[in-house]
Amino acid sequence: MTILFGVPLSVLLGQLLLGLINGAFYALLSLGLAIIFGLLRIINFAHGALYMLGAFVTLLSLQYLGVNYWFALFLAPLTVGLVGMAIEKYLLRRITGEDHLYGLLLTFGLALIIEGLFVKVFGVSGSSYPMPDALKGGFNLGFMFLPKYRAWVIVSALIVCFVTWYMIERTRLGSYLRAGTENPKLMQAFGINVPLLVTLTYGYGAALAAFAGVLAAPIYPVSPGMGANLLIVVFAVVVIGGMGSIMGAIVTGLLMGLIEGLTKVFYPEAANTVIFLVMVLVLLVRPAGLFGKET
Amino acid sequence: MSEAIKTQVQQQRVRVERERRIAASRRNKIFFAVFIAIALVAPFGIYPVFLMKLLCFALFACAFNLLLGYAGLLSFGHAAFLATGGYITGFVLTEYSGLGTELGILAGTAASAALGLGFGLLAIRRQGIYFAMITLALAQLVFFMFMQSSFTGGENGLQGVPRGYLFGFIDLKDNLNMYYFVLAVFLIGFLIIQRTIHSPYGQVLKAIRENEQRAISLGYNVDAHKLLAFVLSAALTGLAGATKTVVFQLASLTDAHWHMSGEVILMTLLGGVGTVLGPFVGASIVVTLQTYLSSGPMGEWVHVILGVIFVLCVLMFRAGIVGWFSKLIQKNFK
Amino acid sequence: MKGLRKAISLIVAAGLLSSTAQAAISDDEIRIGYLADMSGTYRDLSGPGGLEALKMAVEDFGGQVNGKKIVIFNADDLNKPDVGANTVRQWIDEKNVDVITGLVATSVVMAVNKIVEQENKLALISGSASSSLTNEHCSPNHMHWVYDTYALSNGTARAVLEEGGKDWFILAADYAFGHSLEADITKVVETGGGKVVGKVRHPFPSNDFSSYILQAQGSGAEVVALANAGADMVNALQTASQFGLTQSGQKLAGMVVFLNDVHSMGLDVTQGLMLTTGWYWDMNDETREWANRYHKRVGRMPSMTHAGVYSSTIHYLNAVKETDSDDSQVVRAKMIETPINDMFAKNGKLREDGRMVHDMYLAQVKTPAESKSEWDLYKILRTIPADQAYRPLAESQCKLIKN
């Protein structure tokens, strides 16, 4: 048995794989944030609440409408995406052009309201969502038992991340989006409906958060507070990656998952805090983040 | 237009401006006098411990406002200073029980200032959201350290901090004595902030906030000015934390949690960023809401209500309550 | 004014303590303050349900003691020691509240206890777990009613050891509560001939437990003990189920498991879990009768904490009635003198260190097949007698016990 740093290699491999899976999850969550900030310059503190909404839509649609997991994968992002669009149109629109501070505070307030309402109605204890049958059980990889569902998480998260990146960086729609946020007046002069694009973008970011929520429902307790603790970690990921960069968010998410995974083996008490240490170190050396551009 | 008339108009404008400033300063002096009068008699009608909590948080908000409103820097990690002031003071007063309370508080304030220097040196060069995020990350590291340390009591908090004797002979266990001491601390902190704002240094700070590039080109050491503001803000926050710990005889991780950093932003925003009375008003409202909402049927709605206030403030009352009030007064009582 | 009133009540109290004449109830009212987490992580443990239990106790008692009205105050401590301590301080200073009940998060309880001891009032603790409350942190002013970490780990760990689990892996929450549970479990395992082959402390709170479950699986231990509570415990259990921990032969032991946890997790995840409880609603006719009344008011079945709030309040009110006093030490002496045999506790006795010792119960979570209704969740395996369940006085570090 090969030992590396006092830990058997097989154990380390298992932990790294788990770290990678968590990283894919972080990447998915940070992606929505990165899009909203990178393109709309809005610091979306409601992201955790939107993630929670996604998980709850999944749970409630099963309980009350009999909607199964596979439908929920589309239903939840759609629903929360619509909610996101409403938030942008009726609330965030009013403060475009103001200091970033206000977007942050507004979304922070929204998060408080949404989470508080859910606590009032559903209580604080999490509810459990049944694992979809097709994904029960797991693969015996030799060095560990990997639940099928976790494999699904990393695969689906990476696919969504890649598709999103491609859409934004490589398609015409993406280029309209990028141009529209850099110079809205010019784009409007070309006949592009910039406000609609902005609303759709925020909605898409919200949908991404909700998708992460659906992925989370079978493996984490679905509770109103589930997004609150994740939020600052996800923000840290986006900042380390570079606040405007889509690729930065994805890569950093994966990287952070790995680093966190290793921390859980060697110094588990610090697992929640290591990401902030990384953030301080990165920002000292590369002030705009790993992939960011200095504005 | 002829030169003579132009100069006349200009002189008129300067005169009007000066009169407005004098009127504002007279208004402020009246407010201040009224405030002192109320503050002196308040503990006989309202529960003094509640008032002390209010004053501590008001000082916290004022210190934060100095950084945000006057230096233009949004820090997301001020909870670290509140907690440092609280824990160090709590530790010193518990370990050295013969020490006068004021020395314990000074220790906490000094520690907080030192931490502020450390944070500032690391964060000052960054702008906007990156500055905020570095302060958040540093505060999280501080939170972790406090959580892991044994002297803080971890999740249980540092309990049983003695109120002690002020200057060796005033018994602070008496709520009334404690109250006047806290009031004095608040006034000292408040006056320090006022003197700083109205000093030449304060003017430079204002210039930096309004147009940093121009200030640099005029030869001002912008980083040093910002750093000083940061350290001052950290020190006064530490003072608030230290005093609060003595009032409640307890320092806990709540003070270091990032929610606390968020709360002070709410208080400042609600009251009015960059105004003199704003932080005090904002802190009073938030503390009162939290205290009176949590006991009673509305207890479960506290977070929702705070969230609604946040949202309304941002959408409609961006100048805060004081700002909105000032505009009202200016419009109607010229 | 206030200072004068305090002086007078102090003189009166002194007079009460020294006189043998009939004592009196101050302010002509008995004032009970209910302090708990009403909106956060521990809401379902005590929360609004506990307040209902308190109201039931007061109503069942008739709403008055010896002609003096019973008044209830309640507040949300938001799980913050400063909020809780401040509320209690204000209650005592402004409203002369006599007794505080509810009391869940240990950090809040410890802060409140300091004030209650300073002001010589009483606190009846139903929610908090830490056994230190009647050990090194004991006082003549607070009582620990329902359970503690010692009783839980003793009961569960010992039972699992006897079933043949010799090698243990401990997954603990990284804060005082988790550490003390970890220490209690280690002691029980080692004195029982077992061995702790591995342990890991996870941050409190944690979001993802896959890494720790993997470590537990890799350790090869026969038993994996969860030294955490609430959302962390629920999360760990669910993750263990996903990773097939029990399928490969390892046993899971949950130290601090409440009925609402099992209910929210569902039997699929929790079936077979061994746990120790201070009370269960479906044990006998008395418990069922009370539980059904509670269920009608709250919509959920009560957990041991809710039953404890009811029981401790009734016991307190009885003592007040007997002594016709609300002086804390007079009432406390009466409470210690009187045994507790009600729907909550059998063979219950309040000890000098403030610990209410009573029979505990070793339970196992039913399988989905065994469960006949929504709240039919436990089967009681056996009773752990009161004198075996709790830390014996001989081992106590409490300042009130001469050891």
Side-chain angles (χ1 to χ4, degrees), chain B:
Chain B
M1 231 200 303
S2 82
E3 279 303 317
I5 299 182
K6 258 197 228 169
T7 358
Q8 251 186 337
V9 171
Q10 219 163 322
Q11 281 175 342
Q12 176 82 321
R13 243 179 242 156
V14 171
R15 221 173 298 146
V16 168
E17 188 51 50
R18 195 179 303 153
E19 266 168 38
R20 197 175 291 161
R21 230 182 295 144
I22 293 176
S25 132
R26 202 176 296 149
R27 237 190 352 252
N28 279 343
K29 287 211 182 75
I30 296 178
F31 278 146
F32 200 62
V34 170
F35 171 76
I36 302 262
I38 298 179
L40 285 174
V41 294
F44 296 103
I46 309 178
Y47 185 49
V49 179
F50 170 74
L51 290 173
M52 291 191 262
K53 181 175 185 185
L54 227 136
L55 285 171
C56 289
F57 275 101
L59 181 58
F60 183 22
C62 287
F64 185 79
N65 188 36
L66 173 67
L67 194 63
L68 179 62
Y70 295 98
L73 294 168
L74 171 64
S75 155
F76 245 28
H78 257 55
F81 308 125
L82 193 74
T84 303
Y87 276 125
I88 299 297
T89 301
F91 177 71
V92 166
L93 288 178
T94 318
E95 284 297 296
Y96 307 106
S97 43
L99 207 62
T101 310
E102 73 281 1
L103 291 175
I105 292 184
L106 274 171
T109 311
S112 208
L115 189 71
L117 185 63
F119 273 35
L121 287 171
L122 290 171
I124 275 298
R125 282 180 211 275
R126 311 294 164 244
Q127 303 283 6
I129 185 66
Y130 288 100
F131 174 80
M133 292 308 284
I134 287 203
T135 54
L136 172 63
L138 289 170
Q140 285 302 103
L141 294 178
V142 168
F143 179 83
F144 180 69
M145 262 177 21
F146 279 142
M147 196 166 63
Q148 298 294 95
S149 309
S150 51
F151 86 92
T152 57
E155 287 291 325
N156 290 339
L158 191 66
Q159 311 243 358
V161 177
R163 288 254 185 103
Y165 288 87
L166 182 63
F167 304 129
F169 66 95
I170 304 180
D171 183 8
L172 291 175
K173 260 196 258 60
D174 182 310
N175 274 341
L176 223 53
N177 288 346
M178 188 76 221
Y179 171 80
Y180 287 120
F181 173 59
V182 173
L183 182 63
V185 168
F186 171 77
L187 288 173
I188 292 174
F190 185 76
L191 286 170
I192 291 179
I193 295 175
Q194 286 308 101
R195 299 301 280 123
T196 307
I197 295 171
H198 291 121
S199 70
Y201 165 77
Q203 298 293 356
V204 177
L205 213 56
K206 185 169 172 202
I208 293 174
R209 184 181 88 242
E210 288 185 358
N211 194 331
E212 187 162 333
Q213 293 294 19
R214 191 186 297 179
I216 295 177
S217 68
L218 283 172
Y220 288 110
N221 186 344
V222 164
D223 280 349
H225 279 80
K226 288 204 249 183
L227 186 61
L228 183 58
F230 195 85
V231 173
L232 199 55
S233 177
L236 289 171
T237 303
L239 178 62
T243 314
K244 187 165 82 70
T245 293
V246 177
V247 171
F248 291 111
Q249 303 184 261
L250 149 75
S252 74
L253 281 176
T254 317
D255 295 337
H257 197 268
W258 63 274
H259 278 167
M260 182 61 82
S261 296
E263 259 184 47
V264 73
I265 299 178
L266 171 63
M267 290 179 197
T268 313
L269 176 72
L270 180 59
V273 180
T275 65
V276 169
L277 294 174
F280 180 80
V281 172
S284 308
I285 296 180
V286 173
V287 170
T288 311
L289 268 174
Q290 281 181 336
T291 311
Y292 287 103
L293 275 185
S294 59
S295 41
M298 296 299 274
E300 303 184 66
W301 293 97
V302 177
H303 289 136
V304 178
I305 294 180
L306 280 177
V308 170
I309 293 178
F310 244 112
V311 172
L312 285 177
C313 267
V314 171
L315 287 179
M316 299 200 276
F317 300 111
R318 229 158 292 146
I321 293 196
V322 173
W324 175 77
F325 220 59
S326 301
K327 271 193 213 135
L328 201 72
I329 292 180
Q330 267 175 19
K331 246 191 277 177
N332 296 331
F333 302 100
K334 213 128 31 122

Side-chain angles (χ1 to χ4, degrees), chain A residues 62-242:
Chain A
L62 176 71
Q63 281 180 352
Y64 294 107
L65 301 173
V67 173
N68 76 13
Y69 176 80
W70 304 100
F71 277 123
L73 279 173
F74 295 98
L75 181 65
L78 194 65
T79 317
V80 179
L82 286 171
V83 171
M85 289 186 359
I87 292 177
E88 198 285 323
K89 182 150 189 227
Y90 297 112
L91 295 173
L92 288 166
R93 185 72 63 83
R94 301 193 184 202
I95 53 170
T96 28
E98 300 275 352
D99 197 289
H100 291 166
L101 166 64
Y102 293 113
L104 190 158
L105 293 174
L106 180 62
T107 48
F108 184 64
L110 275 175
L112 282 178
I113 296 176
I114 297 174
E115 281 163 9
L117 284 174
F118 270 74
V119 168
K120 182 75 179 75
V121 177
F122 295 101
V124 176
S125 290
S127 312
S128 72
Y129 183 84
M131 180 76 70
D133 288 322
L135 293 171
K136 283 191 183 155
F139 310 108
N140 191 338
L141 299 177
F143 58 88
M144 71 174 276
F145 173 85
L146 178 68
K148 280 191 193 158
Y149 193 82
R150 304 258 169 177
W152 158 249
V153 167
I154 189 172
V155 165
S156 58
L158 285 178
I159 290 177
V160 171
C161 283
F162 180 71
V163 166
T164 304
W165 171 81
Y166 190 83
M167 258 188 357
I168 292 181
E169 298 287 333
R170 293 279 181 269
T171 65
R172 194 124 65 106
L173 177 65
S175 61
Y176 285 165
L177 202 50
R178 280 179 285 130
T181 46
E182 257 174 67
N183 200 335
K185 291 228 161 55
L186 194 57
M187 287 308 286
Q188 290 225 238
F190 279 125
I192 310 278
N193 188 345
V194 174
L196 180 64
L197 268 183
V198 169
T199 308
L200 284 174
T201 306
Y202 189 85
Y204 185 70
L208 281 176
F211 186 75
V214 183
L215 286 183
I219 48 173
Y220 300 137
V222 177
S223 73
M226 65 193 287
N229 292 326
L230 267 181
L231 187 64
I232 44 171
V233 174
V234 173
F235 257 105
V237 168
V238 175
V239 171
I240 295 173

